[in-house]
Amino acid sequence: MLLDTASLYFRAFFGVPEISGPDGTPVNAVRGLLDFISRLVGDYGPTDLVCCWDNDWRPQWRVDLIPSYKAHRVVEEVPGAAPDVEEVPDPLQVQVPIILEVLDALGITVVGADGYEADDVIGTLATGAGQPVDIVTGDRDLFQLVDDEADVRVLYIARGVGNHERVTNEWVRAKYAIDAHQYADFATMRGDMSDGLPGVKGVGEKTAATLLERFGDIDGIVAAAHDPDADMGPGPRGKIKAALDYLEVAPTVVAVARDIDLGTPATALPRTPRDPERVLALAERYGLESPMQRLVEVLTAR
């Protein structure tokens, strides 16, 4: 089980009522994340679990290709190799270090990679995993990793962790009329304003799906746009040609990396906390006794 951790703790922050620990520190995102993990582990019983981390939420190599990539979320540009500062509510920002402390005390593995997003960590761990993989996220971009033959699916939490959808290739085809392996090209053409991706002007989901069904992928679509004998109408042909510069770079931005050097992280989900005394201390300090106890009980019961 691979968790898109930020997707989960953002959802917890906005979905769980405000609550503070004994010292006044907000902890609703911490509590919510712990309860989400408890529910997912209890429902699915994974042998391995990784909290995948955004070491860089807006990698420079993606920005170099498309400068608008996530630009609207930047509150401070940081020169050099450090990531730009993302717009995050202050009451959530203070909880992120606590989340890392709690996960470490429990012995739940956190994996990030400098210069890459959590999506890329997920893509790398999911590819060639040699076992069934469930990816937990509210991000549609990860649909591109769905692979029925390799038993990789997405548990899509857009409607809530308790009301998630199990995304398989059949699910993707029923919703978008494409196969999951085409999803990255589909998203490239459709665009995504939440990520600052403009897409191909005038090409929506229906046209993108039709073009992919007919020509297979973006390379095939571009080739067809240049081929006067190809079965492509003048409208789509003109729109594709007008977007050639974008289509040359955008697929690299949208595609999830699958080959990062992550070493060999220990992914086994523990049955008992790594540091029980620290777990108790953190629970007492931040008023997390109930969610910590629930998660420890779920881990032990596996």
Side-chain angles (χ1 to χ4, degrees):
M1 181 170 280
L2 303 174
L3 306 186
D4 181 358
T5 316
S7 182
L8 284 162
Y9 68 61
F10 265 92
R11 181 166 297 277
F13 176 75
F14 288 107
V16 176
E18 292 182 16
I19 187 168
S20 299
D23 64 354
T25 303
V27 292
N28 60 330
V30 187
R31 293 179 66 95
L33 178 63
L34 289 172
D35 281 339
F36 290 163
I37 295 174
S38 293
R39 180 161 194 159
L40 290 162
V41 172
D43 286 351
Y44 291 96
T47 56
D48 300 75
L49 184 142
V50 178
C51 285
C52 301
W53 206 261
D54 283 313
N55 278 23
D56 191 338
W57 66 280
R58 187 176 182 247
Q60 188 61 44
W61 60 271
R62 283 190 165 110
V63 176
D64 288 344
L65 293 171
I66 298 184
S68 63
Y69 182 66
K70 296 187 177 180
H72 59 293
R73 302 189 209 170
V74 176
V75 292
E76 181 185 347
E77 292 189 1
V78 179
D84 291 334
V85 179
E86 183 181 13
E87 183 178 9
V88 177
D90 288 342
L92 173 56
Q93 190 68 58
V94 299
Q95 296 183 64
V96 175
I98 302 170
I99 288 169
L100 285 168
E101 272 193 277
V102 167
L103 293 173
D104 184 63
L106 288 164
I108 294 175
T109 298
V110 176
V111 178
D114 291 346
Y116 292 94
E117 301 174 54
D119 287 10
D120 303 308
V121 175
I122 290 169
T124 297
L125 292 174
T127 302
Q131 62 180 319
V133 177
D134 281 336
I135 298 164
V136 184
T137 185
D139 185 354
R140 296 181 298 175
D141 286 341
L142 290 171
F143 292 170
Q144 65 185 275
L145 296 174
V146 168
D147 185 338
D148 289 0
E149 288 189 13
D151 211 354
V152 177
R153 64 182 178 178
V154 167
L155 306 182
Y156 185 49
I157 59 169
R159 296 192 298 181
V161 173
N163 193 30
H164 63 266
E165 298 174 88
R166 298 180 182 91
V167 178
T168 61
N169 191 72
E170 182 181 0
W171 189 99
V172 173
R173 176 149 284 284
K175 187 166 183 67
Y176 298 111
I178 58 168
D179 288 317
H181 71 85
Q182 298 174 301
Y183 189 84
D185 284 350
F186 174 79
T188 296
M189 288 190 290
R190 177 195 61 201
D192 188 342
M193 295 314 296
S194 69
D195 281 341
L197 296 172
V200 176
K201 187 175 181 180
V203 172
E205 291 191 351
K206 186 174 180 180
T207 301
T210 299
L211 291 172
L212 286 168
E213 190 73 17
R214 191 170 296 165
F215 304 110
D217 57 21
I218 283 179
D219 287 345
I221 291 168
V222 170
H226 286 101
D227 180 359
D229 295 326
D231 182 19
M232 183 182 290
R237 189 184 297 271
K239 291 167 185 174
I240 294 298
K241 285 186 173 181
L244 289 177
D245 288 345
Y246 168 78
L247 290 174
E248 187 175 349
V249 296
T252 302
V253 174
V254 175
V256 171
R258 298 172 183 247
D259 57 357
I260 308 171
D261 183 4
L262 297 175
T264 53
T267 62
L269 188 61
R271 291 187 179 274
T272 57
R274 170 188 291 147
D275 190 339
E277 290 186 6
R278 192 165 159 225
V279 166
L280 289 172
L282 288 168
E284 184 177 348
R285 178 179 177 184
Y286 295 112
L288 300 170
E289 290 89 349
S290 295
M292 284 281 219
Q293 182 180 349
R294 282 192 288 271
L295 181 49
V296 169
E297 288 176 353
V298 168
L299 293 175
T300 306
R302 287 165 43 244

